[in-house]
Amino acid sequence: MMSTRIRRYGATILMCFTLGFSGGVLAKKHETTTNHKPHVTKVHGSKQAVSSKQEYSRNSASSSLPDLRKYPSGAARKKAFLRTVMPYINRQNDVILADREWLQQKRYAGHWTAAERTRLKGLARQYNVSWRGDTRRVPWNTLLDRIDIIPTNMVATMAAAESGWGTSKLARVNNNLFGMKCGRSCSGAKGTVKGYSQFSSVDESVQAYVRNLNTHPAYSSFRKSRSQLRRADQELTAANMIHKLEGYSTKGSSYNNYLFAMFQSNKQLLNTY
């Protein structure tokens, strides 16, 4: 009788020891999995490339342009570039459309709250539209001419053309995707491309480009053409807006032809984003 109890007691101790040991092993395995490094694929010998999804995931946190030279030129680099810039272009256009729709709703409203007046003043200031604050004399046409989107694929095509799909020094060092100059008065940080605008993020670069086209006097004809399309109830697309852009390059119409050809050759890829 006593020996039976001893055997049962010993079996219980052995079971507890086994469970404790296996639990420790499982915990160690989970820790190892958690710290597992991202998969890296070798390209061209010693160079390494990370998948575009991983690259975008890292870039989302910093908002700066990753080094896209690690991708082989062609589809892989283009996809990584578009995966990086498209979210910022789409977000900028979403913000503009929301402001535009709000303006259209308020255009025939008889009552204005203090918050609405403040919002309108902010938009007028942001888009360089003169307004003294009288809601009975709002420059609606000027505001709506300026507060409108630039077709997403047009922005992406210009960014790709001006930055070499994100590989130019200006893009890498200044986060400047559109070749935007800043004049003689600007002074960039050490190592940046002098004479050109420097941005802290891709998002800031996209915002500056869109604001430039929507406010600078040099692009008034572009905005006029866009308004005409709006009044004709036609969709704003890269195909019907690229040739409307004048004065962006000293090359004139040949620059627009180049952009249009680039857009056409990458249309299928652009439409996937």
Side-chain angles (χ1 to χ4, degrees):
M1 184 74 173
M2 181 66 67
S3 61
T4 302
R5 290 180 179 177
I6 292 173
R7 284 198 299 272
R8 288 179 179 176
Y9 182 75
T12 302
I13 293 174
L14 179 61
M15 183 179 294
C16 292
F17 176 78
T18 303
L19 287 172
F21 176 77
S22 63
V25 172
L26 287 173
K28 188 173 183 180
K29 284 184 177 179
H30 176 70
E31 181 181 359
T32 304
T33 303
T34 304
N35 295 329
H36 181 68
K37 293 181 180 180
H39 175 69
V40 176
T41 305
K42 292 184 178 180
V43 179
H44 298 304
S46 62
K47 291 185 179 180
Q48 294 181 331
V50 184
S51 75
S52 58
K53 288 184 179 180
Q54 292 168 345
E55 190 71 70
Y56 174 64
S57 177
R58 288 208 302 263
N59 181 57
S60 296
S62 64
S63 297
S64 60
L65 189 70
D67 189 353
L68 299 174
R69 295 173 299 175
K70 66 182 68 177
Y71 296 96
S73 60
R77 182 179 295 169
K78 291 178 180 180
K79 288 179 180 179
F81 176 77
L82 292 174
R83 189 180 293 276
T84 300
V85 303
M86 277 298 200
Y88 300 114
I89 299 172
N90 287 326
R91 184 168 64 188
Q92 181 64 17
N93 277 336
D94 287 343
V95 170
I96 292 173
L97 279 178
D99 287 334
R100 182 178 177 83
E101 289 173 2
W102 179 78
L103 283 174
Q104 290 171 325
Q105 291 171 0
K106 291 301 300 179
R107 185 167 190 172
Y108 302 104
H111 176 71
W112 289 78
T113 65
E116 289 170 340
R117 288 173 183 268
T118 300
R119 182 176 180 180
L120 186 59
K121 285 180 181 178
L123 288 174
R125 183 167 54 252
Q126 180 182 346
Y127 286 88
N128 295 345
V129 176
S130 178
W131 180 56
R132 296 183 178 180
D134 187 350
T135 54
R136 294 170 299 179
R137 297 182 179 181
V138 178
W140 294 109
N141 290 336
T142 305
L143 282 167
L144 290 170
D145 281 352
R146 297 190 175 204
I147 304 178
D148 206 347
I149 65 166
I150 314 294
T152 299
N153 285 347
M154 177 178 171
V155 179
T157 299
M158 290 193 69
E162 292 289 338
S163 71
W165 294 97
T167 62
S168 70
K169 183 178 180 181
L170 183 61
R172 289 182 288 107
V173 178
N174 291 37
N175 272 321
N176 189 330
L177 301 180
F178 303 94
M180 295 177 64
K181 296 183 178 181
C182 59
R184 298 177 180 177
S185 58
C186 68
S187 56
K190 185 178 180 180
T192 59
V193 182
K194 295 181 179 179
Y196 288 86
S197 298
Q198 180 185 358
F199 303 105
S200 61
S201 65
V202 174
D203 193 16
E204 188 177 300
S205 180
V206 171
Q207 288 183 46
Y209 161 82
V210 172
R211 186 179 185 279
N212 192 33
L213 262 60
N214 278 340
T215 61
H216 199 284
Y219 309 116
S220 60
S221 63
F222 173 81
R223 296 191 293 271
K224 183 178 180 180
S225 297
R226 184 176 59 185
S227 296
Q228 290 172 344
L229 288 173
R230 284 294 195 189
R231 286 193 292 272
D233 200 24
Q234 293 187 30
E235 184 181 2
L236 302 182
T237 66
N240 61 20
M241 289 303 297
I242 284 178
H243 285 295
K244 305 297 183 183
L245 182 61
E246 298 178 4
Y248 199 86
S249 170
T250 56
K251 296 179 180 178
S253 60
S254 63
Y255 176 75
N256 299 77
N257 293 335
Y258 166 72
L259 285 179
F260 188 77
M262 188 173 183
F263 160 70
Q264 290 283 50
S265 63
N266 293 283
K267 185 188 297 186
Q268 186 174 356
L269 185 61
L270 287 162
N271 288 337
T272 61
Y273 293 88

